[in-house]
Amino acid sequence: MLQKNTLLCAALSTALLAGVTSTANAAVVASLKPLGFIASAIADGVTTTEVLLPDGASEHDYSLRPSDVKRLQNADLVFWVGPDMEAFMEKSARQIPANRQVQMQALSEVQPLLIKGGDDDEHDHEGHDHGGENHDEHHHHGDYNMHLWLSPEIARMSAVAIHQKLVELMPQSRARLDANLKDFEAKLAQTDKQVGSELAPVKGKGYFVFHDAYGYFEKHYGLTPLGHFTVNPEIQPGAQRLHQIRTQLVEQKATCVFAEPQFRPAVVEAVARGTSVRMGTLDPLGTSIKLGKESYSQFLSQLSTQYASCLKGD
């Protein structure tokens, strides 16, 4: 009898320990790498962070694999922008309880900060009347720029929301999560100042970007974009549009045109050829940066350097 009880206790202990272990090892799954930068800083030392979108893929045309769906279902917390950005996740996200996901675009503090997206130059979007503030129409793709991770302010708000959810899910790790949030906010404030200083000398220098992704970053740091080649990078701009851009590059004395590593568009080179306009590259997904405690700050710094090096023409 004593041996049976001992075995029963051992079995219960193993089961309980397995439960604790599975909770402790459960992952935060972020849709895109820059969201992984934010999440990994808050979850550091508490749980792992994984990213769905592989390096080199585009959030604009990705399709979930069966293994991705499984990772989403098993995740303790899913962090994404929302259906207006990651349309590929919308169906799977409906199966995830609200207390196990943070949706950037749905955060109440973020909604007043949303800025309009550029008009699509290849086809017009239907306009919506926002006078009555019909909330269902508030986030149609094309109306608002959903590259929210490029705003340091929205990144901080998202970090607070992730911290709150993880404290609810893992109250035993509160002290570490609190410390992580404090560190993230301090590092972000420091980086924000440094980036502001690095970009101050290039304010007023005009440039074109490949696609309409950078509005939050540009607004935050007071940069001077002249325009973009396309709203959706999957749609190559037509000949008429390219002629317009080339004319603007010359007339508005643009300093730079920026390509992106995800697309390497030959059209950017073609438009800049024969002009004095310099070519640079901006990486809105931080492809070469590894997830870690300071990766979001590294991401902001890298983007700042990419802007500054081309605009200064060092």
Side-chain angles (χ1 to χ4, degrees):
M1 186 71 180
L2 185 62
Q3 192 181 9
K4 272 189 179 178
N5 284 344
T6 306
L7 288 170
L8 186 62
C9 285
L12 280 169
S13 298
T14 306
L16 285 167
L17 193 60
V20 169
T21 307
S22 67
T23 305
N25 292 340
V28 175
V29 174
S31 57
L32 313 174
K33 202 167 186 185
L35 274 63
F37 298 155
I38 302 166
S40 61
I42 305 306
D44 183 69
V46 175
T47 184
T48 55
T49 301
E50 298 174 3
V51 175
L52 275 184
L53 191 76
D55 282 343
S58 165
E59 70 276 19
H60 295 274
D61 68 345
Y62 188 64
S63 296
L64 287 180
R65 300 164 301 186
S67 58
D68 294 330
V69 175
K70 198 169 183 180
R71 281 160 79 194
L72 286 170
Q73 287 168 346
N74 294 339
D76 255 316
L77 188 66
V78 173
F79 178 35
W80 61 309
V81 176
D84 290 349
M85 172 52 73
E86 306 98 331
F88 64 86
M89 272 179 65
E90 189 172 7
K91 189 179 171 187
S92 293
R94 284 197 210 112
Q95 317 300 320
I96 302 164
N99 70 331
R100 281 181 44 224
Q101 58 175 299
V102 171
Q103 198 182 120
M104 261 178 151
Q105 74 175 63
L107 296 173
S108 57
E109 312 92 310
V110 167
Q111 288 178 359
L113 302 178
L114 294 180
I115 60 176
K116 287 278 185 180
D119 295 326
D120 195 322
D121 302 297
E122 295 299 305
H123 56 275
D124 292 325
H125 288 276
E126 287 179 21
H128 296 293
D129 177 14
H130 293 294
E133 195 56 35
N134 182 337
H135 198 71
D136 290 338
E137 294 185 344
H138 195 69
H139 301 299
H140 273 67
H141 197 52
D143 289 352
Y144 289 91
N145 185 328
M146 282 295 152
H147 299 80
L148 303 181
W149 63 89
L150 287 158
S151 162
E153 197 176 357
I154 292 174
R156 190 193 63 77
M157 291 169 176
S158 301
V160 170
I162 292 166
H163 166 268
Q164 190 178 332
K165 292 279 190 194
L166 288 178
V167 167
E168 287 169 18
L169 290 164
M170 304 170 188
Q172 73 280 9
S173 300
R174 173 155 209 152
R176 181 63 189 256
L177 292 165
D178 287 353
N180 286 349
L181 178 61
K182 193 177 175 184
D183 289 349
F184 178 81
E185 291 180 319
K187 183 65 182 172
L188 180 59
Q190 182 192 350
T191 305
D192 189 29
K193 267 188 188 171
Q194 288 167 349
V195 169
S197 299
E198 185 178 19
L199 294 176
V202 299
K203 285 183 180 183
K205 292 196 175 191
Y207 58 89
F208 273 80
V209 293
F210 176 57
H211 95 283
D212 184 33
Y214 306 93
Y216 293 96
F217 188 88
E218 292 165 338
K219 185 180 178 186
H220 187 83
Y221 294 111
L223 298 177
T224 317
L226 299 175
H228 51 269
F229 282 51
T230 181
V231 169
N232 181 348
E234 301 311 315
I235 302 170
Q236 289 287 354
Q240 189 181 350
R241 174 67 184 147
L242 292 177
H243 178 70
Q244 284 174 353
I245 291 171
R246 191 177 173 84
T247 305
Q248 283 178 281
L249 287 178
V250 177
E251 285 178 358
Q252 298 187 48
K253 296 182 172 61
T255 306
C256 280
V257 287
F258 289 103
E260 290 178 16
Q262 285 81 15
F263 302 99
R264 309 183 192 284
V267 290
V268 177
E269 291 172 20
V271 165
R273 198 174 296 132
T275 72
S276 60
V277 179
R278 289 189 291 272
M279 270 197 67
T281 301
L282 297 174
D283 183 2
L285 293 175
T287 312
S288 62
I289 298 170
K290 289 182 178 174
L291 263 61
K293 204 163 184 187
E294 297 188 355
S295 51
Y296 184 74
S297 287
Q298 288 165 8
F299 170 63
L300 290 181
S301 298
Q302 176 178 284
L303 203 54
S304 170
T305 302
Q306 288 168 343
Y307 269 105
S309 59
C310 188
L311 291 170
K312 283 177 185 170
D314 295 339

